[in-house]
Amino acid sequence: MVLNVGIIGAGRIGKIHVDNLRCIPQVRVKSVSDIAVGHLQSWAKEKQIEVLTTNYEDILNDKEIHAVFICSPTNTHATIIKEAASSGKNIFCEKPVSFSLEETKEALEAVEKAGVKLQVGFNRRFDPNFRKVRQLVQEGKIGNPHILRITSRDPEPPNVNYIKSSGGLFMDMTIHDFDMARYIIDSEVIEVFANGAILVDPAIGEAGDIDTAIITLKFANGALGIIENSRRAAYGYDQRLEVFGDKGAAQADNNRVNTVELSTAEHVSKEKPLYFFLERYAQAYVDEVKEFVTAILENQPIICSGVDGIQAERIAKAAKESLETGVPVKLEQIGQSTAIY
Amino acid sequence: MVLNVGIIGAGRIGKIHVDNLRCIPQVRVKSVSDIAVGHLQSWAKEKQIEVLTTNYEDILNDKEIHAVFICSPTNTHATIIKEAASSGKNIFCEKPVSFSLEETKEALEAVEKAGVKLQVGFNRRFDPNFRKVRQLVQEGKIGNPHILRITSRDPEPPNVNYIKSSGGLFMDMTIHDFDMARYIIDSEVIEVFANGAILVDPAIGEAGDIDTAIITLKFANGALGIIENSRRAAYGYDQRLEVFGDKGAAQADNNRVNTVELSTAEHVSKEKPLYFFLERYAQAYVDEVKEFVTAILENQPIICSGVDGIQAERIAKAAKESLETGVPVKLEQIGQSTAIY
Amino acid sequence: MVLNVGIIGAGRIGKIHVDNLRCIPQVRVKSVSDIAVGHLQSWAKEKQIEVLTTNYEDILNDKEIHAVFICSPTNTHATIIKEAASSGKNIFCEKPVSFSLEETKEALEAVEKAGVKLQVGFNRRFDPNFRKVRQLVQEGKIGNPHILRITSRDPEPPNVNYIKSSGGLFMDMTIHDFDMARYIIDSEVIEVFANGAILVDPAIGEAGDIDTAIITLKFANGALGIIENSRRAAYGYDQRLEVFGDKGAAQADNNRVNTVELSTAEHVSKEKPLYFFLERYAQAYVDEVKEFVTAILENQPIICSGVDGIQAERIAKAAKESLETGVPVKLEQIGQSTAIY
Amino acid sequence: MVLNVGIIGAGRIGKIHVDNLRCIPQVRVKSVSDIAVGHLQSWAKEKQIEVLTTNYEDILNDKEIHAVFICSPTNTHATIIKEAASSGKNIFCEKPVSFSLEETKEALEAVEKAGVKLQVGFNRRFDPNFRKVRQLVQEGKIGNPHILRITSRDPEPPNVNYIKSSGGLFMDMTIHDFDMARYIIDSEVIEVFANGAILVDPAIGEAGDIDTAIITLKFANGALGIIENSRRAAYGYDQRLEVFGDKGAAQADNNRVNTVELSTAEHVSKEKPLYFFLERYAQAYVDEVKEFVTAILENQPIICSGVDGIQAERIAKAAKESLETGVPVKLEQIGQSTAIY
């Protein structure tokens, strides 16, 4: 069987998915929609895309399409998910699902009702380093987890206009780390305390956001967690984590473009970490779409479900509230659990 | 000139100081006192110690003695400091100075009044790894510090009886990390939030203490800090730190007994970290007494002063209060600054 | 322009080239030949290959084909190169070009005469680690090279039947290292001394070959070189090198499947090296065909030319002679330089 | 019992032994001789040395002295060993024992006849890294050894005058590596092939020596070995080795002064290796004298015996002959085995 796919939103991440999908033999990327398509003509031709449209509903209405990738701006996600679910399409949606827990819940209910698959784009779950750490935890190699530490720093901040509409550091950047925390520890976060600061660029503060944060977590299984964030690491993208338990610890270090070490009269040096998420998570982007395709074709469970999406959003909300109030916030105060989660 | 030294308290740490002092040509370890000396006779003879006494006042009254090392139990420190200062002795005192900020302050005032030197035994300040990190920070190599992270885990907990009289995790174990935080960042801690858990041994909880902790710090210069503690790391003593700033990051890794890497069909493995503080900080123990001796002989400033002692204690108190109340605690609420600090 | 490609020989390596070529937008893999094609039907269909034939001349006679990949057994290479050159095809040929210096020379002369491009499959030249080392050497970062060391060990030996027709360790396995030596040092080898042993499997010795070797090299620019080989490293594929010069040294370490380090009561361990050449050189296989395509489309020089092929073969011959005679062998004694090399 | 020690030759290495011996409680460094002693008066006083003499026979004639350290120039070693043995002293002799195999043999015969202990100063045998590698080999962790590689590079060459009287690179510098090869593999070297070059400094060539070398070894147990030498590594003292066997490989990396890693916009860097032998082998110098003392006091075997001394010299001779003749040299051609070796 060939899986026909439509892409909604052909920005940077939409194009990456096209490239990765095209290397999967069972997949045909049939259609792409975007709010403007003039500049996409030659790109679409090179990629052998048949349908290029400004109206994503053309994709939802196409009976041949089995799955859609929602790569449009966050504020459109929930609506499109609901429509796509009604049209019976399987859905891959970029993170976060929405900026509103209510909207996210409605979208997930629609997915649940339609019986389609929904995968949220927490690509880092597919990173070989973090996967290995999760595997070691699951195999009991470190025993019961006691402490999780995630270091997550970007090489440079986005521009201030982006920041203004980003939902804030916790919803835009840390949300990946909140999901990672749940993925590694395999237990729900029950309390959050956030410290934040504006140390990278005052303009970020003027935009109402922070650029540096330390968030501490308590998990239902008793473990404690730390997340460290900065919007700018001079040496590049810093993506490490360590989980410590009663039998030992597993740590994932950064990836580098090569293994070369240079020794000179000045020092011994090696390459900096891979520059940013496109480089560091190149393989994760490949694998997340491969496994989404396999989950559909072989009707297997999804590795990042809608529930994972909403839980990460709830933690982000809690962190924001903690930052504003200066005290720890319990997750049970954030949104209400409903039957389906 | 030969510096004549007396040791008050010949337990494990007292004996280490004797060995290290004996390797310094300008030093003569003349006297040792302990509450019982019968079992110390042959040891003292081998070490060429002239005076072995059960009364530390014999040492304070000996006009030949230039400096004393206070290695007796913590609850005796403040009293002995005051007496030693009155006797005009320079003082090396093990950490913490006392369990009471009031007592500590009185002791420091006595030192101040007598014009003698007081060094507090924060031996980690002399560790080559942490010293190098501090140097890099001071030289501006990482720019303005934004985030400090200290990982500090013991290989096994002390026995429960010790824990009961230890002053608690923050005063007994984390106090080294609180001092390290101030040493590396070179700015005062202004706020503390502590998460604690009993994950290693329920008996520690029954003794009224915790065995696992995450403490977040805010510094006066705007930097944020994290300290991670566990009373038991299966793989040994874990003593690492990283400081991140706008120009980069410096991290100190654990030391190992050798550099050998073994590759087999199973895995690639190397040695575990050095087992515990005696092994890891062997050089630091040597250097702290060397530099104390030099500071006296050449009248130079002390690297860990009494003020450093009291500030670490204040942070420990704040952490304890945060743990009890569940909210962050400001340092200005802990003790009162007095003129000399 | 689209580059039409034909593959001659659809064994393991031929299929890898097909997959990698299909990810290049400007390439169409039109035809595949093999001595038997029955088992290749469904594979060829999945890969959208139009022509599947038992006669490679069908490919050479196809005017649409711009380039061929020769992935058939080594003893057919020289003949096919000559025919392909006559047909005006650009040629990618797996290593070694042949087992006979005379045949190799004739083939290269045919290529020269036809004015087509020939790339020899020394894929390791495209490995990011080794490329970086070469770049550092070229930039003068290590100064004048004094010593080159190549460690090259396979995870397990091929079966003995393969070994019998392999041309021997030096021609089959070390030939990659001989090429690498020339690539890194950028100077010709002038003398070779080889030590060999049968330590892995006596059956290899019975087949007339060795399984362990140390080869020392002298280069025209005065540098010295070492190559270490083993047919079986218990821990996997070991592919490292180091070049040392008057300003410093650059070393390339193995690649691992992830960066995770696990610390337990037993030891600190990390992943073994990537298992074998398919894993370790996956990116190199991608890049060698990409750059071959680019060299044709943009008429740029080839990174591994026919001359590189013949020089590696000459060194392999010299090593074999040294092993047999027990004394060093000068390269000038091996084959005769002709005008074109 | 107190072991009374005399030092013959108070140059750099003699003084190091004095400092290390003084930290051993059972040892009293009673006497020191040197060809001139005027400049040693205050040093000897600080070190509490009782006898300072220009005549080493004063030490040999002193009935209180149990052991002597021969730290005088190499050309005096054999004579002093013979006299010291006749006087019944245990002997620690710096390497090499002599420049002449005949002299060395005579000296060892005298030691054998007198029944005293002789330790040769191959300090690297006591280095924790290399010891661990040897232990892993002995425990069978790497299986049967197939390949040994020793990388040994100095940070800078000695002055040319020293080189002229040094016995040449192989006798002066590589001799440590020859001993290390035997220590790790625990099998005799049976054949040597040496490549040498003058790449560091032409003045070394003019002095009749080389500054860069690659030596390949064959061992009696079938293993192969490589030693790489350079008189100048820009980044400092490079002392690594790796042994590879049928079950795996063990490698020892350089030591660094601290574990700090600095990440900046330029690169990720760490400290260079410890500068030279005094820093790198500080612990080995301590341990070699400790174990010599223990071997005497507890009548245990010596870790580096006179036989080890003579075997290393024979390999050095073979390497020199190979360099001069351009062909491999068998060890059996070098000197004649006598009954006692």
Side-chain angles (χ1 to χ4, degrees):
Chain A
M1 175 197 166
V2 167
L3 191 85
N4 294 312
V5 171
I7 307 291
I8 298 171
R12 183 170 57 178
I13 189 65
K15 286 177 173 169
I16 288 169
H17 289 320
V18 167
D19 284 340
N20 290 332
L21 285 162
R22 289 185 73 246
C23 281
I24 306 174
Q26 305 97 315
V27 170
R28 166 186 171 224
V29 183
K30 184 183 178 187
S31 312
V32 167
S33 74
D34 203 285
I35 47 169
V37 296
H39 64 294
L40 295 170
Q41 298 290 354
S42 66
W43 169 82
K45 195 178 167 194
E46 184 183 300
K47 303 300 180 183
Q48 299 171 301
I49 288 155
E50 294 172 37
V51 178
L52 187 59
T53 171
T54 55
N55 187 353
Y56 71 83
E57 299 195 345
D58 292 348
I59 295 176
L60 300 185
N61 292 334
D62 182 344
K63 295 226 161 6
E64 270 194 5
I65 296 287
H66 302 102
V68 295
F69 278 64
I70 305 177
C71 309
S72 51
T74 298
N75 59 11
T76 69
H77 288 180
T79 301
I80 302 178
I81 287 174
K82 284 187 278 186
E83 292 179 36
S86 303
S87 309
K89 308 305 188 202
N90 293 292
I91 302 161
F92 182 106
C93 181
E94 279 304 321
K95 63 92 223 175
V97 176
S98 80
F99 292 138
S100 147
L101 284 175
E102 277 315 303
E103 279 181 32
T104 300
K105 281 182 188 175
E106 283 175 27
L108 300 200
E109 280 161 3
V111 166
E112 179 85 356
K113 193 174 158 199
V116 296
K117 289 193 186 288
L118 168 66
Q119 180 170 326
V120 179
F122 285 126
N123 56 308
R124 296 183 193 175
R125 287 190 175 218
F126 300 84
D127 175 73
N129 296 348
F130 301 144
R131 258 190 160 165
K132 177 69 181 186
V133 173
R134 177 175 153 104
Q135 180 197 329
L136 290 169
V137 174
Q138 300 271 329
E139 291 171 355
K141 291 286 168 61
I142 64 134
N144 294 317
H146 291 181
I147 299 174
L148 170 70
R149 187 183 68 232
I150 297 175
T151 300
S152 179
R153 300 168 185 156
D154 285 354
E156 48 184 341
N159 68 52
V160 172
N161 282 335
Y162 174 87
I163 280 177
K164 283 177 184 160
S165 64
S166 68
L169 183 88
F170 297 138
M171 190 59 87
D172 180 55
M173 177 175 170
T174 326
I175 196 161
H176 277 295
D177 307 308
F178 293 138
D179 182 62
M180 185 54 62
R182 293 180 63 250
Y183 178 65
I184 296 291
I185 298 294
D186 217 1
S187 174
E188 293 297 340
V189 169
I190 58 171
E191 192 182 295
V192 179
F193 175 71
N195 262 337
I198 302 150
L199 298 170
V200 169
D201 186 352
I204 293 173
E206 288 156 19
D209 204 356
I210 54 173
D211 54 35
T212 303
I214 286 179
I215 305 111
T216 59
L217 308 172
K218 280 189 184 174
F219 293 89
N221 67 358
L224 303 177
I226 301 166
I227 297 166
E228 287 177 63
N229 286 149
S230 171
R231 281 289 194 185
R232 188 173 63 209
Y235 50 87
Y237 199 38
D238 195 347
Q239 299 281 294
R240 292 171 289 160
L241 65 78
E242 178 179 286
V243 57
F244 168 81
D246 60 294
K247 289 189 185 164
Q251 59 175 307
D253 201 355
N254 286 312
N255 291 350
R256 295 168 209 281
V257 70
N258 61 53
T259 65
V260 176
E261 192 171 274
L262 176 65
S263 300
T264 67
E266 285 74 39
H267 47 59
V268 177
S269 66
K270 56 182 179 176
E271 296 278 349
K272 293 186 292 177
L274 290 172
Y275 178 63
F276 209 169
F277 62 97
L278 294 182
E279 293 82 13
R280 162 61 188 265
Y281 292 118
Q283 189 61 44
Y285 282 118
V286 168
D287 289 343
E288 70 170 356
V289 302
K290 263 193 195 162
E291 299 190 29
F292 175 63
V293 167
T294 301
I296 295 170
L297 293 178
E298 303 182 4
N299 194 25
Q300 288 175 2
I302 288 289
I303 283 174
C304 307
S305 69
V307 174
D308 294 320
I310 204 166
Q311 289 300 82
E313 290 172 29
R314 289 178 69 215
I315 304 172
K317 295 274 185 203
K320 196 173 180 188
E321 194 175 312
S322 172
L323 184 69
E324 288 164 0
T325 59
V327 293
V329 171
K330 294 207 182 310
L331 255 284
E332 62 191 17
Q333 299 163 8
I334 305 296
Q336 294 303 317
S337 298
T338 72
I340 62 165
Y341 316 118
Chain B
M1 175 198 165
V2 167
L3 192 83
N4 295 312
V5 170
I7 307 290
I8 298 172
R12 183 170 56 179
I13 190 67
K15 285 176 174 168
I16 289 169
H17 290 321
V18 168
D19 284 341
N20 291 331
L21 285 163
R22 289 184 75 243
C23 281
I24 307 174
Q26 305 96 317
V27 171
R28 167 186 171 222
V29 183
K30 182 182 180 189
S31 312
V32 168
S33 73
D34 204 285
I35 48 168
V37 296
H39 64 293
L40 295 171
Q41 298 290 352
S42 66
W43 170 81
K45 194 178 167 193
E46 185 183 302
K47 304 300 180 186
Q48 299 171 301
I49 287 156
E50 295 170 38
V51 179
L52 186 62
T53 171
T54 55
N55 187 354
Y56 71 83
E57 299 197 344
D58 292 348
I59 295 177
L60 301 186
N61 293 333
D62 182 345
K63 296 226 158 11
E64 271 195 5
I65 297 286
H66 303 102
V68 294
F69 279 65
I70 305 177
C71 309
S72 50
T74 299
N75 57 14
T76 68
H77 288 180
T79 302
I80 302 178
I81 288 174
K82 284 186 279 186
E83 292 179 35
S86 303
S87 306
K89 310 303 186 200
N90 294 293
I91 303 161
F92 182 105
C93 181
E94 279 305 318
K95 64 91 220 172
V97 175
S98 80
F99 293 140
S100 148
L101 285 175
E102 278 314 304
E103 278 181 32
T104 300
K105 280 182 186 174
E106 284 174 29
L108 301 200
E109 281 161 3
V111 166
E112 179 84 357
K113 193 174 158 199
V116 295
K117 290 195 185 287
L118 168 66
Q119 180 170 326
V120 178
F122 285 127
N123 57 307
R124 296 183 193 175
R125 288 190 174 216
F126 300 84
D127 176 73
N129 297 347
F130 302 145
R131 258 191 161 164
K132 178 69 181 186
V133 173
R134 177 174 153 105
Q135 180 196 332
L136 291 168
V137 173
Q138 300 272 331
E139 291 171 355
K141 291 286 167 59
I142 65 135
N144 295 318
H146 291 182
I147 298 174
L148 169 71
R149 186 182 70 234
I150 297 174
T151 300
S152 178
R153 299 167 185 156
D154 284 354
E156 48 185 342
N159 69 53
V160 171
N161 282 335
Y162 174 88
I163 281 178
K164 282 177 185 161
S165 64
S166 69
L169 184 87
F170 298 138
M171 190 59 85
D172 180 55
M173 179 177 168
T174 325
I175 197 161
H176 276 296
D177 307 309
F178 293 138
D179 182 62
M180 185 56 61
R182 293 179 63 249
Y183 178 65
I184 297 291
I185 298 295
D186 217 1
S187 173
E188 293 297 338
V189 169
I190 58 171
E191 190 183 295
V192 179
F193 174 71
N195 262 336
I198 302 150
L199 298 170
V200 169
D201 186 352
I204 293 172
E206 288 156 18
D209 203 357
I210 53 173
D211 53 36
T212 303
I214 286 178
I215 304 108
T216 58
L217 307 171
K218 280 189 185 174
F219 294 88
N221 67 357
L224 304 177
I226 300 167
I227 298 166
E228 288 178 63
N229 286 150
S230 171
R231 280 288 195 185
R232 190 173 63 209
Y235 49 88
Y237 199 39
D238 196 347
Q239 298 281 294
R240 291 171 288 161
L241 64 78
E242 179 178 284
V243 57
F244 168 80
D246 60 295
K247 289 190 184 163
Q251 58 176 306
D253 202 354
N254 285 312
N255 290 351
R256 295 168 209 283
V257 69
N258 60 55
T259 65
V260 176
E261 192 171 275
L262 176 67
S263 300
T264 66
E266 286 74 41
H267 47 60
V268 177
S269 65
K270 57 181 177 175
E271 298 277 349
K272 294 187 291 178
L274 289 174
Y275 178 63
F276 209 167
F277 62 96
L278 294 183
E279 293 82 14
R280 164 61 189 266
Y281 293 118
Q283 189 62 44
Y285 282 118
V286 169
D287 289 344
E288 70 172 354
V289 301
K290 262 194 199 162
E291 299 190 28
F292 174 62
V293 168
T294 302
I296 295 169
L297 294 178
E298 304 183 2
N299 194 23
Q300 287 176 2
I302 289 289
I303 285 175
C304 310
S305 69
V307 174
D308 295 319
I310 206 167
Q311 289 301 81
E313 290 172 32
R314 290 178 70 213
I315 304 171
K317 294 275 183 202
K320 196 172 180 189
E321 192 175 313
S322 172
L323 184 70
E324 287 164 1
T325 58
V327 294
V329 171
K330 294 207 182 310
L331 255 284
E332 62 192 17
Q333 299 163 9
I334 305 297
Q336 293 303 320
S337 298
T338 71
I340 63 164
Y341 316 117
Chain C
M1 176 199 165
V2 166
L3 191 85
N4 294 314
V5 170
I7 307 290
I8 298 171
R12 183 170 55 178
I13 190 65
K15 286 178 173 168
I16 287 169
H17 288 320
V18 168
D19 285 341
N20 290 333
L21 285 162
R22 290 184 74 246
C23 281
I24 306 174
Q26 304 96 317
V27 170
R28 166 185 171 223
V29 183
K30 184 183 178 188
S31 311
V32 167
S33 74
D34 204 287
I35 49 170
V37 296
H39 64 293
L40 295 171
Q41 298 289 354
S42 65
W43 170 81
K45 194 177 168 194
E46 185 183 302
K47 303 300 180 185
Q48 299 172 302
I49 288 156
E50 293 171 38
V51 178
L52 187 61
T53 171
T54 56
N55 187 353
Y56 70 83
E57 299 196 345
D58 292 349
I59 295 176
L60 300 186
N61 292 333
D62 182 345
K63 295 225 161 8
E64 270 194 5
I65 297 286
H66 302 101
V68 295
F69 279 64
I70 304 177
C71 310
S72 50
T74 299
N75 57 13
T76 68
H77 288 180
T79 302
I80 302 178
I81 288 174
K82 285 187 276 186
E83 292 180 36
S86 302
S87 306
K89 309 304 186 201
N90 294 292
I91 302 162
F92 182 106
C93 182
E94 279 305 320
K95 63 92 220 170
V97 175
S98 81
F99 292 138
S100 147
L101 284 175
E102 278 314 302
E103 280 183 32
T104 299
K105 281 183 186 174
E106 284 175 29
L108 300 200
E109 281 161 3
V111 166
E112 179 86 356
K113 193 175 158 198
V116 296
K117 289 191 186 288
L118 168 65
Q119 181 170 325
V120 178
F122 285 127
N123 56 307
R124 296 183 193 174
R125 288 190 175 216
F126 300 84
D127 176 73
N129 297 348
F130 302 144
R131 258 190 160 166
K132 177 69 181 186
V133 173
R134 179 176 150 101
Q135 180 197 329
L136 290 169
V137 174
Q138 300 271 330
E139 291 171 355
K141 291 286 167 61
I142 64 135
N144 294 319
H146 292 182
I147 299 175
L148 169 70
R149 187 183 69 233
I150 297 176
T151 300
S152 177
R153 301 168 183 155
D154 283 356
E156 48 186 341
N159 69 53
V160 171
N161 282 335
Y162 173 88
I163 280 178
K164 284 177 185 162
S165 65
S166 69
L169 184 87
F170 298 138
M171 189 59 88
D172 180 54
M173 178 176 169
T174 325
I175 197 162
H176 276 295
D177 307 310
F178 294 137
D179 182 61
M180 184 56 61
R182 293 179 64 249
Y183 178 63
I184 296 291
I185 299 295
D186 217 1
S187 174
E188 293 299 339
V189 169
I190 58 170
E191 189 182 296
V192 179
F193 174 71
N195 262 336
I198 302 150
L199 298 170
V200 169
D201 186 353
I204 293 173
E206 288 156 19
D209 203 357
I210 54 172
D211 52 37
T212 303
I214 287 179
I215 305 108
T216 58
L217 308 172
K218 280 190 186 174
F219 294 88
N221 67 358
L224 304 177
I226 300 166
I227 298 167
E228 287 178 65
N229 285 150
S230 172
R231 280 288 194 186
R232 188 174 63 210
Y235 50 87
Y237 199 39
D238 196 346
Q239 297 282 294
R240 291 171 289 161
L241 65 77
E242 178 178 285
V243 57
F244 168 80
D246 59 293
K247 290 190 184 163
Q251 60 176 305
D253 201 355
N254 285 311
N255 291 349
R256 296 167 207 283
V257 69
N258 61 54
T259 65
V260 176
E261 191 172 277
L262 175 66
S263 300
T264 67
E266 285 73 39
H267 46 60
V268 177
S269 65
K270 56 182 179 175
E271 298 278 348
K272 292 186 293 179
L274 290 173
Y275 178 62
F276 210 168
F277 62 96
L278 294 182
E279 294 82 12
R280 164 61 189 265
Y281 293 118
Q283 188 62 43
Y285 282 118
V286 168
D287 289 345
E288 70 171 355
V289 302
K290 262 194 196 161
E291 300 190 28
F292 175 62
V293 167
T294 301
I296 295 169
L297 294 178
E298 303 182 4
N299 194 23
Q300 289 176 2
I302 288 290
I303 284 175
C304 311
S305 70
V307 174
D308 295 319
I310 204 166
Q311 289 300 82
E313 289 171 32
R314 291 177 70 214
I315 304 172
K317 295 274 186 204
K320 197 173 178 188
E321 194 175 311
S322 172
L323 184 69
E324 287 163 2
T325 59
V327 294
V329 171
K330 296 209 182 306
L331 255 285
E332 62 192 16
Q333 300 163 7
I334 305 298
Q336 294 302 320
S337 299
T338 71
I340 63 166
Y341 315 119
Chain D
M1 176 197 166
V2 167
L3 192 85
N4 294 312
V5 171
I7 307 291
I8 298 171
R12 184 169 56 178
I13 190 67
K15 286 177 173 168
I16 288 169
H17 289 319
V18 168
D19 284 342
N20 291 332
L21 285 163
R22 289 185 74 245
C23 282
I24 306 175
Q26 304 97 316
V27 171
R28 167 183 167 224
V29 182
K30 183 181 178 189
S31 312
V32 168
S33 73
D34 205 284
I35 47 168
V37 296
H39 64 294
L40 295 170
Q41 298 289 355
S42 65
W43 169 81
K45 193 178 169 194
E46 184 184 303
K47 304 301 180 183
Q48 299 170 302
I49 288 156
E50 293 171 38
V51 179
L52 187 60
T53 170
T54 55
N55 186 356
Y56 70 83
E57 300 195 346
D58 293 347
I59 295 177
L60 300 186
N61 293 332
D62 182 345
K63 294 222 161 11
E64 270 195 4
I65 296 286
H66 303 102
V68 295
F69 279 64
I70 305 177
C71 308
S72 49
T74 298
N75 57 12
T76 69
H77 288 180
T79 302
I80 302 179
I81 288 175
K82 284 186 278 185
E83 292 179 34
S86 304
S87 307
K89 309 304 185 198
N90 294 291
I91 302 162
F92 182 106
C93 182
E94 279 304 320
K95 62 91 217 170
V97 175
S98 80
F99 293 139
S100 147
L101 283 175
E102 279 314 303
E103 279 181 32
T104 300
K105 280 181 189 175
E106 284 174 28
L108 300 200
E109 281 160 3
V111 166
E112 178 84 358
K113 192 175 159 198
V116 297
K117 289 193 186 287
L118 169 64
Q119 181 170 323
V120 178
F122 285 128
N123 57 306
R124 296 183 194 174
R125 287 191 174 216
F126 300 84
D127 176 73
N129 297 347
F130 302 144
R131 259 191 159 165
K132 177 70 181 185
V133 173
R134 178 176 152 104
Q135 179 196 332
L136 291 169
V137 173
Q138 299 272 331
E139 291 171 354
K141 292 285 166 60
I142 66 135
N144 294 318
H146 291 182
I147 298 174
L148 170 70
R149 187 184 68 233
I150 297 175
T151 300
S152 178
R153 299 168 185 155
D154 284 353
E156 48 185 342
N159 68 55
V160 171
N161 282 335
Y162 174 87
I163 280 178
K164 283 176 186 163
S165 64
S166 69
L169 185 87
F170 298 138
M171 189 59 86
D172 179 54
M173 177 176 170
T174 325
I175 196 161
H176 276 295
D177 306 309
F178 294 137
D179 181 63
M180 185 56 62
R182 294 179 64 249
Y183 177 66
I184 296 291
I185 298 295
D186 216 1
S187 174
E188 293 298 338
V189 169
I190 57 171
E191 190 182 298
V192 179
F193 175 71
N195 262 337
I198 302 151
L199 298 170
V200 168
D201 185 353
I204 294 172
E206 288 156 18
D209 203 358
I210 55 172
D211 53 36
T212 303
I214 286 179
I215 305 111
T216 59
L217 308 172
K218 280 189 185 175
F219 294 89
N221 68 358
L224 304 177
I226 301 167
I227 297 167
E228 288 177 64
N229 286 148
S230 172
R231 281 286 194 186
R232 189 174 63 210
Y235 49 87
Y237 199 39
D238 196 346
Q239 297 283 293
R240 290 172 290 159
L241 65 77
E242 178 178 284
V243 57
F244 168 80
D246 59 292
K247 290 190 183 162
Q251 58 176 306
D253 202 355
N254 285 313
N255 290 350
R256 295 167 209 282
V257 69
N258 61 55
T259 66
V260 176
E261 192 172 275
L262 175 67
S263 300
T264 66
E266 286 75 39
H267 48 60
V268 177
S269 66
K270 57 182 177 175
E271 297 277 349
K272 293 187 291 179
L274 290 174
Y275 177 63
F276 209 167
F277 61 97
L278 294 182
E279 294 82 13
R280 164 60 187 268
Y281 293 119
Q283 188 62 43
Y285 282 118
V286 168
D287 289 344
E288 71 171 355
V289 301
K290 263 194 196 162
E291 300 190 28
F292 174 62
V293 168
T294 301
I296 295 170
L297 294 179
E298 305 182 2
N299 194 24
Q300 287 175 4
I302 289 289
I303 285 176
C304 308
S305 69
V307 174
D308 295 319
I310 205 166
Q311 290 300 82
E313 290 171 31
R314 291 178 70 215
I315 304 171
K317 296 275 184 201
K320 196 172 179 188
E321 192 175 314
S322 173
L323 185 69
E324 287 163 2
T325 60
V327 293
V329 172
K330 296 211 185 304
L331 256 284
E332 61 192 16
Q333 301 163 7
I334 305 298
Q336 294 303 317
S337 299
T338 71
I340 63 164
Y341 316 117

